[in-house]
Each structure stands twice: as structure tokens, then as C-alpha cells.
Amino acid sequence: MDILGATLRIYVDDLDKAIPFYEGLVGGEALRFERGGVEAAAIGCFLLMSGPEAQIEVLRKVTATIAVSNVEETARVLGSLGADIIAGPVGTPAGRNLIARHPDGAIYEYVDRGVGS
């Protein structure tokens, strides 16, 4: 399992207003997508999310998003170390992900881009 980086999760009231700032900060364009009623935009190391408070409240429980080389392998490693896989692995617009609760109670999302699968 290779950890490739982390994404900062930012919750905003107005995605359209927030995107230009982060595009300017990063120097790139946002990759926009929607999932489960939540609109999201990935810009560099930032993931902006906006949507109904009920869905956002659930997402706030995820400490961070961690990029890995292979989600399937990550699931095996996490399980062997005592983590609980809460959801996934499943496909997303940007690759595959899983949600895991570490033994200390922290919840993380792990994502790959389908590489090595």
C-alpha cells in the first residue's frame, strides 16, 4: 500500500462562489461532480463540497481523504491492522474509494484512480 498524498476537505455554502478562489490559488481548473445530493469540486489538493446539511453533516465525520496506489490492497492492509471498512471499495467519478474507521475511531476516505487494478 503506497500513500500518495492527502486532500483537504472544505465545506462551503456556495460552490460556484468558492471555486474561482481555489482555481486561482492552485492555478488549475476544478473537476466538478455530484454524488448523493452533494456537489463537489476537486482542485489540486482541495476538495470543496456543498449540499444539504444532512449529507454534509455525515461527510464532516471523515477526517481526511488519502490518495493511495490501490484501494483493494489498502482494504487488505487496513483490515489486517484492525481497521473497519465502513463502505467500499466502490467506483467514483475520480477512481475508487473506501471509507475506513481506524482503531482509534478516526474515519478516513481512501481513494485511488484505478491504477493497478
Side-chain angles (χ1 to χ4, degrees):
M1 175 181 111
D2 295 321
I3 294 177
L4 307 175
T7 299
L8 303 169
R9 300 166 68 92
I10 302 169
Y11 306 95
V12 299
D13 292 329
D14 187 331
L15 197 61
D16 291 326
K17 284 178 96 173
I19 286 174
F21 172 81
Y22 287 95
E23 286 179 332
L25 185 63
V26 172
E29 288 188 34
L31 168 64
R32 293 185 70 151
F33 55 96
E34 186 272 332
R35 188 164 185 199
V38 173
E39 292 184 75
I43 312 164
C45 67
F46 300 101
L47 177 62
L48 309 179
M49 291 179 271
S50 182
E53 188 55 37
Q55 280 93 348
I56 294 296
E57 184 179 330
V58 171
L59 294 172
R60 287 184 200 276
K61 294 178 182 180
V62 177
T63 303
T65 299
I66 300 170
V68 295
S69 56
N70 185 293
V71 164
E72 301 292 338
E73 178 187 358
T74 299
R76 287 190 294 278
V77 171
L78 288 168
S80 73
L81 294 171
D84 294 321
I85 306 303
I86 298 170
V90 297
T92 73
R96 296 174 303 156
N97 80 342
L98 67 82
I99 307 291
R101 182 181 302 110
H102 290 190
D104 62 9
I107 298 173
Y108 292 88
E109 175 186 34
Y110 289 86
V111 299
D112 69 20
R113 297 210 164 138
V115 178
S117 56

